Amino acid sequence: QVQLQESGPGLVKPSQTLSLTCTVSGVSINTGGYYWSWIRQLPGKGLEWIGSIYYTGSTYYNPSLKSRLSISVDTSKNQFSLKLSSVTAADTAVHYCAAGIWGGVRPVVPNWFALWGQGTLVTVSS
Amino acid sequence: EIVMTQSPATLSVSPGERATLSCRASQSVNSNLAWYQQKPGQAPRLLIYGASTRATGLPARFSGSGSGTDFTLSISSLQSEDFAVYYCQQYNGWPSLTFGGGTKVESK
């Protein structure tokens, strides 16, 4: 079955760049049909969609994070990655990678998230 | 950005009873709403999409309804494994996908 697994540093210093990778198994990222996504959960709070990428390289970013955000895909490794620059303590969160689905609602973008990784906590602190 | 508001924040229900969770959107999202369940230490799990379509394998005791701005997730006969936090998420307001703040369903 399809599985997603996040990896990356658990501690990042303020003003630096948060970098995470999601390794996908059970399906090729090249297959299409999924929007490979990042979602975060701030401590004790709800969920925030960060952004998504299609295997073609098309990206979809949360407008509130767009200026600091980069999501890329490496089809040869069946991975996709997140980079969030100029982080502050407010970026401390559990970060999930997920597989988004387009359900037919125009525009053609991720609608809901069918599969999730286990999540990884990234703390921003000096 | 469309703001999603869930109520109540905490719902205390006895096993076997019915649970009714609400989600309200700040503007119409048509039927473009999903529900997720999250247990402690776990990732969210998709339950419902299109406001009322159950995800594969989801027990029939879970049902979603509503359209426009007001939505409901019902669990007809609460089982022990259903105690969790539930989130709604809209996907009508592109370029932003937004989640509600969650409702915790706890044992009474």
Side-chain angles (χ1 to χ4, degrees), chain A residues 73-95:
Chain A
V73 64
D74 186 337
T75 55
S76 67
K77 295 182 179 178
N78 226 40
Q79 295 175 334
F80 62 103
S81 298
L82 164 71
K83 290 187 186 300
L84 185 66
S85 63
S86 305
V87 296
T88 69
D91 294 307
T92 293
V94 174
H95 289 71

Side-chain angles (χ1 to χ4, degrees), chain A residues 6 8-9 17 27 39 41 43 55-56 61 65 74 79 83 85 88 91 94 100-101 107 109 123:
Chain A
E6 306 87 352
T17 297
V27 69
I39 296 161
Q41 188 162 32
Y55 78 97
T56 56
Y61 293 159
L65 299 170
D74 186 337
Q79 295 175 334
K83 290 187 186 300
S85 63
T88 69
D91 294 307
V94 174
I101 300 289
V109 295
T123 300

Side-chain angles (χ1 to χ4, degrees), chain B residues 19-100:
Chain B
T20 303
L21 290 67
S22 294
C23 174
R24 175 165 288 179
S26 60
Q27 63 190 76
S28 177
V29 297
N30 298 302
S31 294
N32 300 321
L33 186 103
W35 288 93
Y36 301 85
Q37 175 195 68
Q38 186 177 34
K39 296 180 181 179
Q42 297 186 17
R45 167 197 176 195
L46 176 69
L47 301 178
I48 301 277
Y49 57 91
S52 61
T53 302
R54 280 191 294 274
T56 302
L58 186 68
R61 64 180 182 273
F62 289 89
S63 63
S65 63
S67 66
T69 60
D70 292 302
F71 300 87
T72 299
L73 175 69
S74 297
I75 311 171
S76 61
S77 177
L78 212 66
Q79 306 295 302
S80 57
E81 62 266 29
D82 300 334
F83 294 107
V85 180
Y86 293 82
Y87 294 96
C88 61
Q89 176 237 320
Q90 68 79 22
Y91 48 93
N92 195 71
W94 189 257
S96 199
L97 306 172
T98 51
F99 293 83

